[in-house]
């Protein structure tokens, strides 16, 4: 099969769960004998014509860069929606499809993607698939999370105005999409700047001081932007929801032509399950997320602080962030490498993932299960779909619910039962599962 993917690019230029999944899927497909290519949004050069430039292959995957795509805002927000709805050159995409001749176009994000890519694919008879990795298209900031809460009601995009004031300028986005930035992206200096920027992300909400007239005009732009993206999604043959959480959020906004819910995975998740020994003095709790409210860190800390103050101190929390106000039960480390996961999970009784935002999946949950580690998640974590047995699923923002779930895990026999059930009943997602979507949509 000839498979063309659209994503943000290859590592190390791009990173994150979306890029990890797409890259691993492409490599697996190439190893199985398929012809695999990636189309990705590249440089923005105002004086140059739009074109598609062949780049060096990546581990046998063909690479095609779009010169002058739409801007890629990542999760920083969008200040000027009109720029993100500009037309692309449909003839260029038609010619590209004639040259590459893909059977299927698998889209992993709408960022940087001209609407004309879809119309050209339809004219060329190419089936289209879209995998939901985040909420871009519905939410310019990707997460549907603002002011410490999930964005269930944006007041007809009025709230988008204030939420997106921190968006990067087009000049900064152009720099980040440049070849020079790609070359320096993995340097120590760029990493330090990026880390400093991200430590402040999600911490504050900028309040808009503009007049009501200006707010009305700006809100209308965000409504038009959402409609622009929803129309693109409606043109796609099949939507691949990576979890029921993601499905339920998207279906509030539109009804796809067709969809399937299939959990995702990546190449580095292997079966390391084993019967664990829980017979030690302290309950060892692990949290692998950033120390940010949207990931449920405040809920986690508040709950465990309450437990500690009650006199129940026979536990520890291992976190992989350096926080300014650590509690006495915390063991901190500044980040971790993937190669450390075996040691981390060998020393873990429970992984907690108490996300407040609607987390589309959550690879850390699947990674913990691959080591047969019991997990406590919030109802907002998509990876709960793969649970082989009844494990605690808490209500987000409900401290008592979380406290009760943690207290249950002090029962070592309960931990042993869950661990044994994971070992005996867990069925892991497979990267090949998505191939069924391709095949049923190709005549």
């Amino acid at each position: 099969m000839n498979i063309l993917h659209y994503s943000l690019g290859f590592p190390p230029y791009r990173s994150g769960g979306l890029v990890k999944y797409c890259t691993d899927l492409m490599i697996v497909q190439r190893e199985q004998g398929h012809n695999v290519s990636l189309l990705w949004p590249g440089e923005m050069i105002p004086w140059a014509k739009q074109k598609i430039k062949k780049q060096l292959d990546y581990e046998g995957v063909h690479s095609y860069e779009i010169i002058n795509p739409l801007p890629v805002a990542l999760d920083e927000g969008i200040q000027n929606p009109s720029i993100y709805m500009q037309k692309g050159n449909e003839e260029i995409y038609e010619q590209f499809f004639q040259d590459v001749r893909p059977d299927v176009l698998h889209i992993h994000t709408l960022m940087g993607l001209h609407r004309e890519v879809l119309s050209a694919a339809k004219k060329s008879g190419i089936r289209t698939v879209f995998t939901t990795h985040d909420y871009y298209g519905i939410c310019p900031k990707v997460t549907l999370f603002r002011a410490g809460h999930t964005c269930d009601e944006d007041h007809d995009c009025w709230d988008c105005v204030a939420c997106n004031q921190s968006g990067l300028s087009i000049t900064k986005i152009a720099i980040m999409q440049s070849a020079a930035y790609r070359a320096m992206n993995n340097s120590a200096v760029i990493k330090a700047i990026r880390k400093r920027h991200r430590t402040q992300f999600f911490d504050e909400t900028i309040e808009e001081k503009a007049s009501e007239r200006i707010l009305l005009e700006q809100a209308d732009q965000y409504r038009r932007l959402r409609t622009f993206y929803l129309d693109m999604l409606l043109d796609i043959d099949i939507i691949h929801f990576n979890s029921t959480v993601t499905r339920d959020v998207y279906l509030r906004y539109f009804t796809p032509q067709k969809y399937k819910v299939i959990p995702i995975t990546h190449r580095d998740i292997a079966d390391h399950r084993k019967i664990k020994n829980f017979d030690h003095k302290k309950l060892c709790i692990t949290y692998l997320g950033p120390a940010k409210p949207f990931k449920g860190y405040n809920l986690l800390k508040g709950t465990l602080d309450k437990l500690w103050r009650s006199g129940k101190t026979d536990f520890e929390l291992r976190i992989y962030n350096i926080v300014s106000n650590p509690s006495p039960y915390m063991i901190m480390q500044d980040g971790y490498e993937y190669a450390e996961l075996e040691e981390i999970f060998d020393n873990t009784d429970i992984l907690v993932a108490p996300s407040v935002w609607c987390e589309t999946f959550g690879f850390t949950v699947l990674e913990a299960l691959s080591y047969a580690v019991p997990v406590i998640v919030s109802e907002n974590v998509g990876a709960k779909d793969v649970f082989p047995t009844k494990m605690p699923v808490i209500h987000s923002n409900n401290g008592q619910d979380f406290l009760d779930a943690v207290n249950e895990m002090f029962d070592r026999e309960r931990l042993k039962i869950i661990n044994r059930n994971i070992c005996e009943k867990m069925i892991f997602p497979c990267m090949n599962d998505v191939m069924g979507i391709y095949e049923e949509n190709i005549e």
Side-chain angles (χ1 to χ4, degrees):
M1 187 179 293
N2 190 349
I3 306 167
L4 174 64
H5 292 263
Y6 176 85
S7 182
L8 296 176
F10 293 104
Y13 169 49
R14 297 297 191 189
S15 59
L18 181 159
V19 172
K20 173 67 174 170
Y21 172 76
C22 178
T23 303
D24 283 3
L25 178 60
M26 290 188 295
I27 292 172
V28 167
Q29 290 172 343
R30 193 264 306 161
E31 290 172 345
Q32 292 173 342
H34 301 290
N35 185 32
V36 185
S37 306
L38 178 69
L39 180 67
W40 51 277
E43 291 196 273
M44 298 169 62
I45 309 173
W47 58 87
K49 291 183 178 181
Q50 184 188 336
K51 64 179 181 179
I52 297 175
K53 182 179 179 181
K54 179 72 171 72
Q55 297 288 13
L56 294 176
D57 289 2
Y58 180 94
E59 296 194 28
V61 175
H62 307 306
S63 174
Y64 297 95
E65 176 186 4
I66 303 173
I67 303 299
N68 285 328
L70 291 175
V72 175
L74 300 177
D75 55 4
E76 302 284 349
I78 290 174
Q79 285 194 8
N80 188 344
S82 63
I83 297 175
Y84 293 76
M85 295 183 280
Q86 293 178 341
K87 286 188 175 183
N89 189 327
E90 188 170 320
E91 292 180 359
I92 288 174
Y93 293 118
E94 287 182 20
Q95 185 60 54
F96 174 69
F97 290 143
Q98 288 178 22
D99 295 340
V100 176
R101 297 187 176 280
D103 298 307
V104 63
L105 170 61
H106 188 163
I107 300 167
H108 297 267
T109 180
L110 299 180
M111 293 185 193
L113 186 68
H114 287 114
R115 187 170 179 174
E116 287 69 25
V117 172
L118 292 176
S119 55
K122 184 167 288 189
K123 286 182 180 179
S124 304
I126 300 165
R127 298 290 181 169
T128 49
V129 176
F130 177 76
T131 292
T132 55
H133 296 281
D134 52 46
Y135 301 111
Y136 185 83
I138 297 171
C139 170
K141 293 198 75 171
V142 170
T143 59
L144 279 174
F145 181 88
R146 68 179 300 274
H149 302 281
T150 56
C151 190
D152 295 323
E153 171 56 74
D154 59 24
H155 303 97
D156 205 16
C157 289
W158 275 70
D159 294 341
C160 296
V161 178
C163 201
N164 283 274
Q165 293 306 302
S166 60
L168 299 178
S169 68
I170 292 299
T171 299
K172 288 183 179 179
I173 291 175
I175 291 171
M176 292 174 65
Q177 289 180 223
S178 68
Y181 183 87
R182 290 202 298 271
M184 297 186 297
N185 184 60
N186 215 29
S187 68
V189 173
I190 296 296
K191 282 183 176 179
I193 293 172
R194 194 162 54 239
K195 183 177 180 180
R196 185 172 59 196
H197 170 71
R198 299 302 288 181
T199 57
Q200 300 173 352
F201 202 62
F202 285 108
D203 284 349
E204 298 179 357
T205 298
I206 297 175
E207 294 298 328
E208 177 59 45
K209 304 296 184 182
S211 69
E212 184 172 336
R213 180 185 62 80
I214 293 175
L215 282 173
L216 183 62
E217 292 173 354
Q218 291 178 329
D220 182 64
Q221 291 182 33
Y222 287 107
R223 284 193 294 272
R224 289 193 294 110
L225 180 65
R226 179 178 289 171
T227 299
F228 174 81
Y229 283 126
L230 290 179
D231 285 345
M232 291 176 69
L233 291 172
L234 285 167
D235 276 345
I236 292 172
D237 293 316
I238 186 165
I239 306 294
H240 164 210
F241 294 120
N242 57 356
S243 69
T244 55
V245 168
T246 319
R247 177 201 63 194
D248 293 346
V249 171
Y250 269 87
L251 292 185
R252 297 206 306 254
Y253 295 89
F254 82 112
T255 302
Q257 293 186 40
K258 190 174 183 180
Y259 71 82
K260 281 198 171 181
V261 179
I262 300 176
I264 60 175
T265 185
H266 61 74
R267 280 198 310 163
D268 295 326
I269 295 178
D271 190 350
H272 303 288
R273 289 175 293 177
K274 60 184 176 183
I275 299 299
K276 289 175 62 68
N277 176 19
F278 297 97
D279 296 326
H280 38 259
K281 185 177 179 181
K282 286 190 174 184
L283 183 71
C284 301
I285 306 170
T286 294
Y287 172 74
L288 294 177
K292 298 294 180 183
F294 75 107
K295 279 287 192 176
Y297 173 75
N298 292 353
L299 174 64
L300 171 64
K301 186 177 185 300
T303 299
L304 296 185
D305 281 350
K306 184 176 181 180
L307 190 64
W308 184 269
R309 289 194 300 268
S310 74
K312 198 161 192 175
T313 59
D314 53 339
F315 70 93
E316 64 185 25
L317 173 68
R318 295 178 180 268
I319 64 171
Y320 293 83
N321 301 265
I322 303 299
V323 297
S324 57
N325 58 337
S327 298
Y329 53 78
M330 289 183 178
I331 299 174
M332 296 183 292
Q333 179 178 316
D334 190 11
Y336 66 94
E337 299 293 332
Y338 197 85
E340 299 177 73
L341 280 185
E342 182 173 6
E343 181 181 357
I344 289 171
F345 288 131
D346 278 348
N347 294 301
T348 296
D349 294 327
I350 321 165
L351 176 84
V352 289
S355 289
V356 176
W357 79 294
C358 292
E359 186 162 358
T360 59
F361 192 72
F363 279 140
T364 58
V365 172
L366 192 57
E367 288 159 354
L369 293 172
S370 76
Y371 287 90
V373 172
V375 179
I376 297 175
V377 302
S378 84
E379 61 191 353
N380 290 337
V381 176
K384 72 180 189 296
D385 290 349
V386 304
F387 281 4
T389 185
K390 189 174 182 181
M391 281 189 281
V393 178
I394 63 171
H395 295 289
S396 58
N397 286 327
N398 189 326
Q400 186 59 50
D401 200 9
F402 193 10
L403 185 61
D404 292 344
V406 173
N407 270 319
E408 287 182 13
M409 294 301 195
F410 279 92
D411 180 351
R412 299 304 198 266
E413 290 305 312
R414 176 163 170 72
L415 285 175
K416 290 175 182 178
I417 290 170
I418 294 174
N419 167 243
R420 190 161 55 248
N421 282 339
I422 296 171
C423 289
E424 294 173 357
K425 300 178 181 179
M426 177 74 188
I427 299 175
F428 287 94
C430 175
M431 300 214 74
N432 279 335
D433 292 344
V434 75
M435 292 299 295
I437 291 180
Y438 297 168
E439 290 161 358
E440 76 174 61
N441 279 276
I442 296 175
E443 297 174 353

